[in-house]
């Protein structure tokens, strides 16, 4: 449902609040049914979804289906298969006496009512994939599709209530003004995909309620091309990443840092691959995605007009149709307009930089969502991992790390906080709640030191002084120090399985004297 009055949103909010409070969403069978319904929602409406994406972004069916539909469906099937494993209770190490005797357990409990706010570049995937994780964790959900991708929003607003439990899962349409009202409400978690600037607004609103957030943002993801790189494959992988969705991808190659000796052959290979992908340099293929709207088009055009670099390929564009060709710009220097912000478009700046300079440049800015390093040298790969920070890294290709099964995906610093995908998504929407039991009452006599009146002697019985296995300079010593108390309680715990209560108390009294 959309809302034209605050009362309409309040009704949706109270509905999901009530559904969570009733315990409905915690039921495993409810979770499974909702996940299955979500799979069929996509399956039954994939043509409508892809048609809407064509209206919004001029996106071809292949890109729409693989990027927005197929991936979510695969994630649903994987989650259904692993739901019990990923949500089961955990038992911490039983070598600890309290864990053993108390039956200490860690439960994965749903955080509660979560708000999921999608982005326009993959408006279905970036809404429904977090939803899958939230449902699997047992949360109630309010979905907020991107109003920028309006045709896709309209489809989602129609099909979500047809397939999903409308008591616990609501879809609302909202622009910036309505979002202000939505964010006044207390949520138990907010999941947002989009720009850092909007994330700051959401974070400020969430802070008023101490609401935890997950932000999947972006950043200026660099491709670093070292001397040892396979140039043809490097150019092919960079070009296809820039081509996909017309570069409107948070994991897109923002700029290329290439060794000066390789710049000319790399650019030649990039041109050749772009020609192949386009079906000819001057061609405007039907399968090429366009820019989302005039505002984004004008921003890209303005950045291109102010660059001090030279356009050596592409540059064709049409504001009326929002077509913006893949565009290579060489001679780009630090401080250039094309390096001033995340491009989020089909412009590809080429920056001369040896490996040391590339490392320094990448380390000196905001942490990107990804780094793509093209090198065959293990030492250079190690330097990328050790000397930079980013959400993820793919070597000798682009964005593959996001497709790996059951691994965390997320940013760091300005590129985001938190993570999801597979079991990590369930953890994002869960609270890890520990519970334990008192030790058996017949061992109470061994715990006398915990009760007042206090004394140094009792304190040392409760927690005996320990000699560490290292000296004051941090050097390891040759003996392994053990706490008498921890060892003693461990012995007592094991002994209790085989001897009588009186024998345990007698032995414990002697040990602790």
């Amino acid at each position: 449902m959309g809302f034209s009055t605050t009362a309409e949103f309040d009704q949706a909010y109270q509905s999901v609040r009530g559904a969570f409070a009733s315990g409905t969403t915690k039921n495993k069978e409810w979770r499974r049914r909702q996940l299955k319904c979500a799979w069929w929602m996509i399956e039954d409406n994939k043509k409508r979804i892809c048609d809407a994406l064509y209206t919004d972004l001029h996106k071809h069916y292949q890109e729409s289906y693989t990027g927005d539909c197929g991936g979510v469906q695969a994630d649903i099937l994987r989650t259904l298969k692993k739901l019990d494993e990923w949500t089961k209770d955990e038992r911490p190490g039983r070598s600890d006496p309290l864990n053993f005797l108390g039956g200490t357990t860690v439960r994965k409990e749903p955080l509660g009512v979560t708000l999921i706010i999608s982005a326009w570049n993959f408006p279905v995937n970036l809404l429904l994939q977090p939803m899958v994780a939230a449902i699997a964790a047992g949360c109630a959900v309010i979905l907020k599709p991107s109003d920028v991708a309006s045709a896709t929003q309209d489809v989602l607003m129609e099909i979500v209530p047809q397939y999903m439990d409308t008591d616990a899962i609501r879809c609302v349409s909202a622009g910036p003004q309505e979002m202000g009202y939505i964010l006044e409400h207390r949520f138990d978690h907010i999941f947002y995909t989009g720009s850092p600037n909007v994330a700051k607004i959401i974070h400020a609103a969430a802070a008023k309620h101490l609401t935890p957030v997950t932000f999947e943002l972006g950043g200026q993801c660099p491709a670093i091309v070292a001397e040892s790189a396979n140039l043809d494959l490097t150019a092919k992988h960079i070009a296809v990443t820039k081509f996909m969705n017309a570069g409107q991808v948070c994991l897109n190659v923002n700029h290329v840092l290439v060794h000066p000796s390789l710049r000319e052959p790399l650019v030649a290979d990039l041109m050749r691959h772009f020609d192949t992908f386009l079906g000819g340099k001057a061609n405007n293929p039907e399968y090429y995605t366009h820019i989302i709207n005039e505002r984004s088009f004008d921003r890209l055009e303005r950045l291109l007009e102010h660059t001090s670099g030279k356009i050596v390929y592409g540059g064709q564009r049409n504001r009326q149709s929002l077509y913006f060709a893949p565009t290579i710009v060489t001679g780009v220097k630090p401080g250039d307009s094309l390096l001033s912000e995340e491009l989020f478009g089909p412009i590809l700046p080429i920056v001369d930089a040896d490996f040391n300079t590339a490392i320094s440049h990448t380390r000196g800015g905001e942490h990107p969502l990804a780094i793509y390093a093209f090198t065959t040298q293990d030492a250079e790969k190690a330097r990328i991992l050790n000397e930079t920070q980013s959400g993820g890294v793919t070597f000798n290709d682009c964005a593959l790390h996001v497709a790996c099964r059951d691994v965390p995906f997320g940013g760091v610093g300005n590129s985001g906080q938190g993570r999801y995908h597979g079991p990590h998504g369930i953890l994002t929407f869960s609270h890890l709640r520990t519970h334990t039991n008192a030790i058996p009452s017949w061992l109470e006599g061994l715990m006398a030191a915990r009760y007042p009146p206090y004394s140094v002697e009792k304190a040392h019985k409760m927690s005996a002084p320990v000699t560490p296995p290292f000296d004051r300079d941090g050097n390891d010593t040759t003996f392994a120090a053990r706490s008498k108390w921890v060892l003693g309680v461990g012995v007592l715990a094991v002994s209790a399985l085989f001897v009588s209560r009186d024998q345990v108390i007698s032995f414990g009294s002697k040990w602790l004297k």
Side-chain angles (χ1 to χ4, degrees):
M1 57 157 283
F3 72 98
S4 57
T5 67
T6 56
E8 290 177 347
F9 176 78
D10 289 343
Q11 191 278 327
Y13 178 81
Q14 292 302 326
S15 175
V16 295
R17 273 273 167 226
F20 182 76
S22 72
T24 296
T25 64
K26 294 182 180 181
N27 183 283
K28 287 284 186 69
E29 286 310 309
W30 179 89
R31 303 185 208 184
R32 289 189 179 92
R33 179 167 294 277
Q34 295 309 305
L35 292 173
K36 293 172 183 177
C37 288
W39 193 93
W40 283 109
M41 177 177 70
I42 297 170
E43 182 67 15
D44 293 344
N45 296 279
K46 59 188 177 185
K47 186 179 185 305
R48 290 189 63 196
I49 291 170
C50 291
D51 288 346
L53 288 167
Y54 183 85
T55 299
D56 287 327
L57 285 153
H58 197 270
K59 189 181 292 193
H60 187 269
Y61 181 91
Q62 180 177 326
E63 276 199 16
S64 295
Y65 179 74
T66 56
D68 272 279
C69 298
V72 178
Q73 287 184 299
D75 191 44
I76 290 171
L77 296 179
R78 178 71 174 167
T79 302
L80 283 167
K81 180 179 180 180
K82 293 287 187 177
L83 184 63
D84 287 334
E85 177 184 336
W86 289 347
T87 59
K88 68 180 180 182
D89 294 348
E90 295 180 1
R91 300 291 182 91
R94 268 17 192 181
S95 59
D96 176 79
L98 186 56
N99 287 353
F100 175 72
L101 296 173
T104 305
T105 302
V106 179
R107 285 165 51 95
K108 296 184 181 74
E109 296 191 347
L111 284 173
V113 174
T114 186
L115 172 65
I116 298 174
I117 308 170
S118 180
W120 53 260
N121 56 330
F122 292 93
V124 176
N125 181 297
L126 298 177
L127 185 75
L128 299 187
Q129 195 167 34
M131 182 196 75
V132 169
I135 291 173
C139 291
V141 184
I142 290 182
L143 301 169
K144 211 298 284 185
S146 171
D147 59 305
V148 177
S150 58
T152 309
Q153 173 192 245
D154 291 345
V155 173
L156 289 165
M157 291 294 297
E158 181 181 337
I159 64 177
V160 168
Q162 290 176 0
Y163 286 79
M164 311 304 291
D165 180 351
T166 55
D167 289 336
I169 302 168
R170 290 293 185 97
C171 191
V172 301
S173 61
Q177 183 175 353
E178 292 84 2
M179 277 305 302
Y181 180 74
I182 290 174
L183 291 173
E184 291 176 5
H185 293 71
R186 182 181 69 81
F187 294 93
D188 301 303
H189 190 271
I190 297 176
F191 190 108
Y192 166 73
T193 303
S195 72
N197 288 336
V198 175
K200 293 174 184 178
I201 297 172
I202 295 172
H203 209 334
K208 296 177 181 179
H209 302 288
L210 297 179
T211 298
V213 296
T214 299
F215 290 146
E216 298 297 342
L217 308 177
Q220 300 183 53
C221 304
I224 298 174
V225 183
E227 290 180 276
S228 65
N230 179 327
L231 279 192
D232 180 61
L233 274 179
T234 296
K236 188 176 185 180
H237 293 155
I238 292 174
V240 74
T241 305
K242 203 66 177 178
F243 189 92
M244 183 178 65
N245 214 37
Q248 298 166 112
V249 185
C250 59
L251 286 163
N252 184 31
V253 176
N254 190 80
H255 53 274
V256 178
L257 299 161
V258 58
H259 194 279
S261 67
L262 302 182
R263 184 205 338 116
E264 290 188 11
L266 177 67
V267 170
D269 285 340
L270 285 167
M271 291 178 176
R272 178 166 49 84
H273 287 298
F274 276 132
D275 280 350
T276 300
F277 299 155
L278 289 167
K281 180 184 300 185
N283 195 31
N284 177 0
E286 181 63 20
Y287 52 80
Y288 180 65
T289 303
H290 290 187
I291 304 304
I292 182 67
N293 55 27
E294 290 86 355
R295 179 182 177 184
S296 292
F297 185 96
D298 293 342
R299 180 185 63 83
L300 289 168
E301 189 166 53
R302 184 170 58 253
L303 291 171
L304 195 59
E305 288 173 349
H306 287 87
T307 182
S308 59
K310 178 183 178 182
I311 298 175
V312 296
Y313 182 90
Q316 300 91 351
R317 50 198 185 272
N318 184 316
R319 191 175 188 273
Q320 184 176 355
S321 66
L322 298 175
Y323 171 77
F324 204 119
T327 302
I328 302 174
V329 183
T330 60
V332 176
K333 308 290 185 184
D336 191 90
S337 63
L338 297 180
L339 301 179
S340 63
E341 61 184 73
E342 181 183 5
L343 291 173
F344 220 70
I347 304 171
L348 185 61
I350 309 296
V351 182
D352 286 355
D354 60 25
F355 196 79
N356 287 333
T357 303
I359 288 278
S360 178
H361 182 278
T362 302
R363 188 171 53 205
E366 298 282 5
H367 304 323
L369 186 58
I371 294 174
Y372 308 124
F374 294 86
T375 174
T376 59
Q377 302 298 313
D378 289 341
E380 290 180 337
K381 292 179 181 180
R383 287 192 62 192
I384 292 290
L385 296 175
N386 293 333
E387 298 180 30
T388 66
Q389 287 182 275
S390 65
V393 179
T394 293
F395 291 110
N396 297 309
D397 208 327
C398 300
L400 289 188
H401 65 281
V402 73
C404 297
R405 175 180 281 185
D406 300 345
V407 300
F409 171 71
V412 61
N414 204 61
S415 60
Q417 56 182 272
R419 62 207 60 81
Y420 70 128
H421 289 188
H424 306 278
I426 290 176
L427 289 173
T428 285
F429 291 101
S430 298
H431 167 60
L432 302 185
R433 188 181 188 188
T434 300
H435 65 86
T436 193
N437 298 292
I439 63 172
S441 59
W442 52 268
L443 286 174
E444 184 69 16
L446 301 179
M447 304 300 292
R450 70 186 287 200
Y451 299 111
Y454 300 132
S455 68
V456 172
E457 292 76 13
K458 281 188 174 182
H460 287 173
K461 287 179 180 180
M462 178 65 71
S463 180
V466 176
T467 302
F470 49 85
D471 62 22
R472 293 179 182 276
D473 296 321
N475 300 311
D476 291 339
T477 52
T478 56
F479 62 92
R482 301 290 183 185
S483 165
K484 183 178 180 181
W485 170 256
V486 172
L487 180 60
V489 172
V491 170
L492 291 175
V494 175
S495 300
L497 299 175
F498 305 102
V499 300
S500 69
R501 173 179 178 275
D502 292 339
Q503 287 174 310
V504 171
I505 294 176
S506 175
F507 175 77
S509 299
K510 294 177 181 178
W511 176 271
L512 295 173
K513 284 182 179 178

